[in-house]
Amino acid sequence: EIVLTQSPATLPLSPGERATLSCRASQSVSSSLVWYQQKPGQAPRLLIYGVSNRATGIPARFSGSGSGTDFTLTISSLEPEDFAVYYCQQGVSWPATFGQGTKVEIK
Amino acid sequence: QVELVESGGGVVQPGRSLRLSCAASGFTFGRSGMHWVRQAPGKGLEWVAIIWFDGSKTYYADSVEGRFTISRDNFKNTLYLQLNSLGAEDTAIYYCARDFRTGWIDYWGQGALVTVSS
């Protein structure tokens, strides 16, 4: 099973600041890496697929990068609605696995 | 638009069984793989299972292998999850979700809460 480790667990930032979230895999996932956003009481929402492709309707301030085992989700300038929990997930091998999440909170 | 509606959740005693259903609409169900993902209260997401578009393949998380069974009825546009030998660790919101390019998820239902308690 591929283990995904996200860091930091919590990221306190202010609106307008840049957020950088990390996801590290225990072995290569090639480009089969996606990011989701989850707000309290809601189902997750797809943000980024295939490392760097924004899903439909996702603003350009969200971007993804990386390859192999190290991946990054960047939010260039935080909007109030971006404070949420973010999860990475790999689909290169079964079982699929999620990272434990990074909570972006208001400082 | 894509809609996934889970049902069948509730309170169940340890060791008992439960079947979740997910009614799909707004897309060609028989052409999409489908997932179940769960989330324990206050915890992160845990992938549970996937079934191929035609039901020919299934994969499970180690934590549910041998106890849970994913299945589908493409005529009824419905996904199922049979949960057997339930324990407290299975208490969670169970999400039905549509597969996107095998292994990724592009649409999620709102979830069904399963509580295992005596």
Side-chain angles (χ1 to χ4, degrees), chain A residues 23-63:
Chain A
C23 176
R24 175 164 290 179
S26 59
Q27 61 191 81
S28 177
V29 299
S30 185
S31 61
S32 186
L33 195 285
V34 295
W35 291 92
Y36 304 95
Q37 177 194 66
Q38 188 180 33
K39 297 179 180 179
Q42 296 185 17
R45 177 175 71 146
L46 177 65
L47 289 179
I48 301 286
Y49 64 91
V51 177
S52 59
N53 301 285
R54 280 189 302 276
T56 302
I58 301 303
R61 64 181 180 272
F62 291 91
S63 63

Side-chain angles (χ1 to χ4, degrees), chain B residues 96-118:
Chain B
C96 161
R98 189 177 80 166
D99 184 68
F100 168 58
R101 299 193 187 180
T102 308
W104 306 337
I105 293 169
D106 61 352
Y107 287 97
W108 302 68
Q110 283 306 302
L113 178 61
V114 173
T115 302
V116 183
S117 174
S118 55

Side-chain angles (χ1 to χ4, degrees), chain A residues 10-30:
Chain A
T10 305
L11 188 56
L13 293 168
S14 299
E17 289 193 296
R18 182 184 188 90
T20 303
L21 288 67
S22 174
C23 176
R24 175 164 290 179
S26 59
Q27 61 191 81
S28 177
V29 299
S30 185

Side-chain angles (χ1 to χ4, degrees), chain B:
Chain B
Q1 70 280 19
V2 173
E3 189 171 18
L4 301 168
V5 180
E6 301 92 340
S7 60
V11 180
V12 60
Q13 292 180 329
R16 303 299 291 267
S17 298
L18 199 67
R19 189 177 81 159
L20 301 179
S21 300
C22 171
S25 60
F27 66 103
T28 307
F29 180 73
R31 292 184 181 175
S32 292
M34 297 294 295
H35 299 257
W36 287 99
V37 176
R38 69 183 180 181
Q39 187 169 35
K43 302 298 184 182
L45 301 171
E46 180 185 14
W47 180 83
V48 173
I50 185 173
I51 186 167
W52 252 230
F53 69 99
D54 58 358
S56 61
K57 289 185 181 179
T58 59
Y59 293 97
Y60 296 91
D62 293 346
S63 59
V64 307
E65 179 87 59
R67 298 189 300 122
F68 291 8
T69 302
I70 188 172
S71 62
R72 63 191 299 158
D73 185 333
N74 285 349
F75 294 104
K76 294 183 178 179
N77 289 349
T78 302
L79 176 72
Y80 302 101
L81 186 67
Q82 178 69 38
L83 298 74
N84 296 334
S85 302
L86 285 162
E89 69 278 10
D90 298 314
T91 293
I93 296 172
Y94 285 75
Y95 293 102
C96 161
R98 189 177 80 166
D99 184 68
F100 168 58
R101 299 193 187 180
T102 308
W104 306 337
I105 293 169
D106 61 352
Y107 287 97
W108 302 68
Q110 283 306 302
L113 178 61
V114 173
T115 302
V116 183
S117 174
S118 55

Side-chain angles (χ1 to χ4, degrees), chain A residues 65-87:
Chain A
S65 63
S67 64
T69 60
D70 289 297
F71 302 90
T72 301
L73 174 69
T74 301
I75 310 171
S76 60
S77 178
L78 283 164
E79 297 289 338
E81 62 268 27
D82 299 337
F83 291 92
V85 180
Y86 294 83
Y87 295 94

